[in-house]
Structures are given as structure tokens and as C-alpha cells.
């Protein structure tokens, strides 16, 4: 079953026995929680869309064994694959207006695939063979995998092995003939409750003394010793109130969590890096490069939804023809398409790695993400500007549905002729959701910090700027001799 239907996906997640906590209580699974269910729906959309003939070319690919697979489990074989990835992410963003979570594992697959090949090349290890077999399993079962990189990090001025608490970074605590035991945690884990497996990678460059911290592996999300503590999102408990309007996006959402690994056993064939500290940097740079490309797709799709919502707000407010409104909408589209252009550009300029898969152009991927740290905020500001204060002052759905109060709300919050007040409020709530509510986690703050905070991209941009070359160009033009 290389391609699961959405229903089969739900069934497969139901079978897992994850250790999930939220508000101090253990919850059975994401499906049983009104707060998490929309995030499960978003991942389900990546399965549903792959079943639709009109999206087949974008949503599916050919796997390592020649079978048809979901593109979210694909190892890129060309620049065209990299471009299709961005198009797929834009599509999923458009259909959900939320974070659909499956890209983190996807980006980890491609980073680990090429890095393991190069480690084996140098040390004669068997990580690539392990990982290839693992990918055959992931592709064959159409798994969703949580790519786990970020550690708690403790004191940022100290390296992993120098931390007062050795668990501040996930590390090996025991080496056994059949595998290793690890302890630590991964933070900000997107989509973990909706994933079959977790693929762990180191989070930063390592020195030789950090050997136990240079570890990459994959285990099922319901492995013994894993505890998932769900993170709060702004306005999350609105989903418990039984109102679909007030949530802004009643169908889809995202989720993040702290994932604790308390003495988790990893068998040898699931280990993809184990002590080769100098390769931690390659893995981190490649993973974050792919993930910086990802944002040139997903944020653009969500941006499409927000721009559409802002345009509808203008229609419902009766001002679609005002020149400043039209200009603001143009600006929003311009910013959004600039992000897309960066996502496509770093893909088109991608190149083959030694392992044979394709890597994005790292400079352009970092430029893409640097723009992503800014433009969604500008787009969100313009959306709120166009929509007006009702985004933050609209009464609840309960009041709207109340016989007496509802009449007042209808009377005073009506907009352009022919527009239902309820529809006007729905659009305001969607804008609220994307710019202040649960979806702002993915659309705004994650745009800033996800796949590395702004400074991380500036370091990469600086490293690849070839400044000496540029100086030589200037000297040549005006005949400066060294
Ligand atoms: Fe994918 Fe975007 Fe969510 Fe990251 S924020 S997992 S790239 S949808
Ligand atoms: Fe992310």
C-alpha cells in the first residue's frame, strides 16, 4: 500500500499508542481532541490530495522501488522534483490555510539521504544502506514522519557536551551491541501527534568532544520512553467551545509539541549517524536549506488564502473599488509571489549530490527564508489594515445566534448590500486566525524562527556571498591592479 487514502491514514494513526499530554491530562490521540483534530485533518489532506487525478503529477512521484508514492516521501531526482515540491506545498497551503506538517520529515529524508552517503564514503559505515531501507519502508507504507532537529539548547553560549545538564541536547547514554539508548528532548516539534515515526537529527555543529550528541536515527512515535507535551497556541481553547465561526478555520490547523526521549532504545539498523561529529554541520545545513525552500511553497499557499480573505473583507465592507485597497492587495500579491519566486529559483538552481539526489541552491534557499521572516508579517499587517477593527472586536458566534443579541449584531455589523453579516464575521475570524490566532503560529512566528531564525540565514548568506569574487569584478572594471 504505497499510497494511503485519507481514511486509511486516520486508521493507521488510531492504531498507534502515543504518550500525549495536554493541559496536564493524557489524551488518547489527536483524533479524540478537538484542539488537535484540525491538525490531523491538515495531514490527512496530504493523503486526500494525492488521490485526486488532477493533482497526481504534483502530489505523487516514483519511489525507490519504482512504485507510485506520495511526493512527501520522495527522494528528489531532479530540479523538476524540487520545483514540484514547492508547487505541492503551495497547493496544500491553499487547501488548508494552515500548516500541514508533513514537510519536516520530507526535508529530513533528503538531507539524511545525501549526508549518510557521504559519511559512508569517508568511514566505510553503513548508514546510507540503513537509511535507504528505512526510506523503502516509509515510501511503501506512506508514512508521515516528524523530522526532529531542535534541542532545548540550555545555555546558548555552551556546546552540547559542556551544558550543566547533559540532557539539554539529545545524546547517547548507553551503547549496546544491538543499538543505542538515547536521552534528551526535541522542542517545537511540528506534527508529531500526527506522525507514524520520528526522524531525529543533531541541531548544530559539533566538536569531537560532542561525539555522543552527533546522533541521527528514526523510531516509531509510540516507542517506549517517548512523551509528547503539546504546546499551546493563541486562542486554542476556542476549539473546545463548539463554535466553528469563532475558531476562524474550523477544519484545519497545525500543532507543535515538546518531545521527550527518556532512555529510548534505537536498534542498529535505525541509526544514520553515530559520533561522526564533523557531519553534523552538513546534515543541519542541508536540512535547514530544504526547509527554507519549503517556506517558499507553504507560506505562499497560506498567503493566497489570506489575500483572498482580505479581498473578500474589502468586498463585504463595500470598498473593493477604493484605489488604496486595490493597491494594498497588489502589494500583498507582490510580496507573496516574491516568496514563491525564491522557492522556485532555489529549486531550479538545485544540483546533484554525491548520493544522486538533488539539493536546492543553498544561497537562494537562504534568501528565500530571509524574505519569509518579513513578508508574511507585512501581508498580515495589510490584511488587518484592509479588514478593519472588526477582526478583533467581533462578538461570538453564540451572541450572533442569540435571538435578541443577534438582531443587534445583524443591524450594526452588516456590510455591503446582499452580504450576510455571518459571512462578514466568518472572514474577519479567518483573518484573525491567520494573523493572531492558532494559524499565526505557522504563518507568522514560524516564518520568523522556523528552519532557523533570521540571523542563521544571514550567516549562510554571508558564507556563500563570494565577496572576494565581487571585489575582483569591481577592480577589473576600473583597472585596479593587486
Ligand atoms: Fe510544512 Fe510549512 Fe508546516 Fe513547515 S510550516 S511543516 S514547511 S506546512
Ligand atoms: Fe517549519
Amino acid at each position: 500500500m504505497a499510497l494511503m487514502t485519507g481514511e486509511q491514514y486516520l486508521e493507521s494513526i488510531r492504531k498507534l499508542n502515543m504518550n500525549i499530554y495536554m493541559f496536564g491530562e493524557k489524551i488518547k490521540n489527536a483524533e479524540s481532541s478537538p484542539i488537535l483534530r484540525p491538525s490531523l485533518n491538515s495531514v490527512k489532506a496530504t493523503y486526500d490530495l494525492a488521490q485526486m487525478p488532477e493533482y497526481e503529477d504534483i502530489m505523487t512521484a516514483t519511489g525507490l522501488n519504482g512504485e507510485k508514492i506520495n511526493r512527501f516521501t520522495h527522494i528528489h531526482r531532479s530540479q523538476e522534483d524540487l520545483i514540484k515540491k514547492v508547487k505541492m506545498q503551495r497547493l496544500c497551503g491553499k487547501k488548508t490555510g494552515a500548516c500541514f506538517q508533513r514537510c519536516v520529515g520530507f526535508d529530513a529524508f533528503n538531507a539524511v539521504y545525501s549526508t549518510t552517503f557521504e559519511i559512508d564514503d569517508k568511514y566505510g559505515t553503513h548508514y546510507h544502506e540503513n537509511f535507504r531501507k528505512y526510506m523503502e519502508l516509509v515510501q511503501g507504507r506512506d508514512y508521515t514522519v516528524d523530522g526532529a532537529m531542535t534541542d532545548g539548547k540550555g545555555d546558548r553560549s555552551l556546546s552540547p557536551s559542556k551544558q550543566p545538564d547533559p540532557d539539554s541536547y539529545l545524546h547517547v547514554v548507553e551503547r549496546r551491541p544491538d543499538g543505542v539508548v538515547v536521552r534528551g528532548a526535541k522542542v517545537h516539534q511540528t506534527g508529531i501527534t500526527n506522525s507514524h515515526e520520528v526522524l531525529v537529527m543533531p541541531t548544530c555543529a559539533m566538536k569531537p568532544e560532542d561525539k555522543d550528541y552527533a546522533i541521527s536515527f528514526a523510531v516509531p512515535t509510540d516507542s517506549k520512553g517517548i512523551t509528547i507535551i503539546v504546546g499551546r497556541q493563541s486562542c486554542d481553547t476556542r476549539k473546545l467551545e463548539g463554535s466553528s465561526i469563532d475558531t476562524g478555520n474550523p477544519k484545519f490547523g497545525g500543532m507543535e509539541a515538546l518531545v521527550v526521549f527518556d532512555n529510548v532504545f534505537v536498534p542498529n539498523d535505525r541509526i544514520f549517524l553515530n559520533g561522526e561529529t564533523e557531519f553534523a554541520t552538513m546534515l543541519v545545513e542541508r536540512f535547514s536549506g530544504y526547509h527554507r525552500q519549503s517556506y517558499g511553497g507553504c507560506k505562499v499557499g497560506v498567503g493566497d488564502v489570506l489575500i483572498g480573505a482580505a479581498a473578500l473583507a474589502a468586498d463585504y465592507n463595500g470598498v473593493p473599488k477604493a484605489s488604496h485597497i486595490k493597491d494594498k492587495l497588489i502589494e500583498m500579491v507582490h510580496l507573496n509571489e516574491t516568496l514563491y519566486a525564491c522557492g522556485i529559483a532555489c529549486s531550479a538552481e538545485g544540483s546533484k549530490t554525491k548520493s544522486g539526489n538533488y539539493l536546492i541552491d543553498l544561497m537562494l534557499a537562504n534568501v528565500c527564508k530571509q524574505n519569509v521572516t518579513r513578508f508574511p508579517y507585512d501581508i498580515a499587517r495589510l490584511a488587518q489594515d484592509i479588514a478593519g477593527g472588526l477582526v478583533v472586536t467581533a462578538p461570538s458566534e453564540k451572541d450572533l445566534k442569540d435571538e435578541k443579541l443577534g438582531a443587534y449584531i445583524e443591524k450594526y455589523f452588516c456590510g455591503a448590500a446582499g452580504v450576510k453579516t455571518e459571512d462578514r464575521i466568518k472572514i474577519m475570524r479567518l483573518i484573525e486566525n491567520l494573523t493572531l490566532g492558532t494559524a499565526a503560529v505557522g504563518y507568522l512566528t514560524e516564518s520568523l524562527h522556523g528552519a532557523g531564525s533570521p540571523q542563521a540565514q544571514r550567516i549562510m548568506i554571508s558564507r556563500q556571498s563570494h565577496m572576494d569574487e565581487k571585489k575582483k569584478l569591481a577592480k577589473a572594471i576600473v583597472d585596479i591592479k593587486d
Side-chain angles (χ1 to χ4, degrees):
M1 187 169 53
L3 267 185
M4 274 201 276
T5 63
E7 287 307 318
Q8 287 167 333
Y9 162 68
L10 292 183
E11 187 54 38
S12 67
I13 292 291
R14 244 173 248 141
K15 283 188 189 140
L16 297 172
N17 188 22
M18 281 184 247
N19 197 24
I20 307 169
Y21 288 84
M22 193 168 38
F23 301 129
E25 281 172 17
K26 188 166 192 311
I27 58 169
K28 196 167 157 234
N29 53 37
E31 196 173 17
S32 67
S33 156
I35 289 191
L36 293 179
R37 177 66 210 234
S39 72
L40 185 68
N41 292 345
S42 298
V43 182
K44 179 175 175 281
T46 68
Y47 290 86
D48 289 334
L49 289 166
Q51 299 283 333
M52 298 165 76
E54 62 268 46
Y55 303 127
E56 187 185 9
D57 183 48
I58 288 183
M59 292 298 306
T60 66
T62 302
L64 295 168
N65 290 332
E67 78 281 38
K68 186 174 166 185
I69 56 161
N70 191 301
R71 186 174 294 280
F72 276 103
T73 66
H74 189 43
I75 298 295
H76 310 294
R77 288 213 192 87
S78 60
Q79 286 99 343
E80 200 192 342
D81 273 344
L82 292 168
I83 290 171
K84 282 185 182 171
K85 172 196 167 188
V86 174
K87 292 189 174 186
M88 172 178 75
Q89 289 166 315
R90 185 171 189 173
L91 172 72
C92 293
K94 283 182 197 211
K95 296 291 185 185
T96 59
C99 162
F100 37 88
Q101 306 143 65
R102 217 175 160 184
C103 333
V104 202
F106 185 16
D107 292 336
F109 298 152
N110 278 279
V112 176
Y113 188 86
S114 62
T115 306
T116 49
F117 186 91
E118 292 181 43
I119 308 171
D120 289 358
D121 202 24
K122 181 165 177 189
Y123 289 108
T125 42
H126 297 281
Y127 301 133
H128 189 67
E129 191 185 316
N130 286 353
F131 192 68
R132 225 189 125 92
K133 278 200 192 119
Y134 180 67
M135 280 316 298
E136 284 170 11
L137 175 91
V138 168
Q139 292 183 343
R141 299 201 183 163
D142 203 2
Y143 274 164
T144 288
V145 176
D146 170 83
M149 179 163 276
T150 313
D151 293 83
K153 294 186 192 157
D155 182 338
R156 270 64 174 169
S157 70
L158 302 172
S159 67
S161 57
K162 299 282 183 302
Q163 294 288 334
D165 181 345
D167 301 340
S168 289
Y169 286 78
L170 189 143
H171 62 125
V172 175
V173 290
E174 190 188 339
R175 297 185 184 275
R176 296 175 13 183
D178 54 345
V180 296
V181 176
V182 297
R183 192 163 64 228
K186 292 289 178 182
V187 303
H188 321 312
Q189 288 311 296
T190 300
I192 182 82
T193 57
N194 310 320
S195 302
H196 304 94
E197 294 259 333
V198 52
L199 170 51
V200 168
M201 298 160 284
T203 194
C204 60
M206 305 257 167
K207 298 181 183 133
E209 63 266 28
D210 300 323
K211 197 166 178 277
D212 289 339
Y213 294 83
I215 180 84
S216 174
F217 62 88
V219 287
T221 44
D222 61 353
S223 297
K224 191 167 173 281
I226 294 184
T227 301
I228 298 164
I229 308 169
V230 177
R232 295 217 60 172
Q233 294 177 332
S234 168
C235 309
D236 51 5
T237 48
R238 283 197 196 178
K239 293 180 212 163
L240 301 173
E241 295 168 1
S243 156
S244 66
I245 295 181
D246 291 357
T247 60
N249 183 342
K251 299 191 191 102
F252 301 107
M255 67 78 53
E256 302 75 27
L258 165 66
V259 184
V260 179
F261 293 75
D262 193 0
N263 295 328
V264 174
F265 174 69
V266 184
N268 283 329
D269 64 348
R270 289 294 197 94
I271 297 175
F272 315 125
L273 168 81
N274 188 5
E276 295 78 8
T277 47
E278 76 274 29
F279 282 96
T281 306
M282 182 187 285
L283 191 47
V284 172
E285 278 184 10
R286 289 186 181 177
F287 169 76
S288 47
Y290 282 122
H291 209 49
R292 288 165 195 179
Q293 168 209 29
S294 283
Y295 289 1
C298 87
K299 307 295 177 203
V300 180
V302 176
D304 287 326
V305 174
L306 182 56
I307 294 168
L312 280 172
D315 291 349
Y316 294 176
N317 290 347
V319 289
K321 296 205 173 89
S323 62
H324 74 102
I325 297 283
K326 282 198 226 158
D327 193 53
K328 281 165 188 159
L329 287 168
I330 291 167
E331 177 67 7
M332 291 165 89
V333 171
H334 163 72
L335 292 168
N336 205 41
E337 297 301 333
T338 303
L339 298 181
Y340 186 56
C342 290
I344 295 293
C346 69
S347 307
E349 292 279 290
S351 56
K352 204 176 189 172
T353 67
K354 283 187 188 167
S355 71
N357 78 341
Y358 273 69
L359 181 66
I360 60 296
D361 180 273
L362 284 174
M363 171 61 124
L364 294 179
N366 278 280
V367 169
C368 176
K369 173 67 206 326
Q370 185 75 186
N371 285 335
V372 169
T373 66
R374 300 172 183 158
F375 296 177
Y377 284 89
D378 291 345
I379 294 169
R381 180 180 168 278
L382 288 164
Q384 289 190 357
D385 181 352
I386 291 170
L390 193 56
V391 167
V392 289
T393 63
S396 69
E397 179 176 353
K398 268 192 189 151
D399 292 329
L400 178 67
K401 299 277 163 72
D402 181 89
E403 212 177 310
K404 183 161 178 251
L405 305 175
Y408 287 137
I409 294 168
E410 292 283 352
K411 181 176 164 69
Y412 293 110
F413 284 131
C414 70
V419 174
K420 285 204 292 187
T421 302
E422 179 174 320
D423 290 346
R424 187 165 173 246
I425 291 180
K426 276 183 179 171
I427 282 299
M428 298 296 166
R429 287 287 177 218
L430 176 58
I431 295 172
E432 181 196 34
N433 172 262
L434 286 162
T435 63
L436 297 165
T438 52
V441 172
Y443 188 60
L444 296 182
T445 313
E446 199 199 343
S447 289
L448 189 63
H449 291 296
S453 305
Q455 189 58 20
Q457 291 107 58
R458 299 185 84 79
I459 291 167
M460 287 297 289
I461 290 169
S462 155
R463 252 190 233 160
Q464 295 174 69
S465 59
H466 304 297
M467 209 51 82
D468 287 340
E469 282 301 311
K470 290 178 174 39
K471 284 182 190 167
K472 272 188 205 153
L473 296 174
K475 282 182 182 171
I477 300 274
V478 294
D479 289 326
I480 295 175
K481 305 269 180 279
D482 282 327

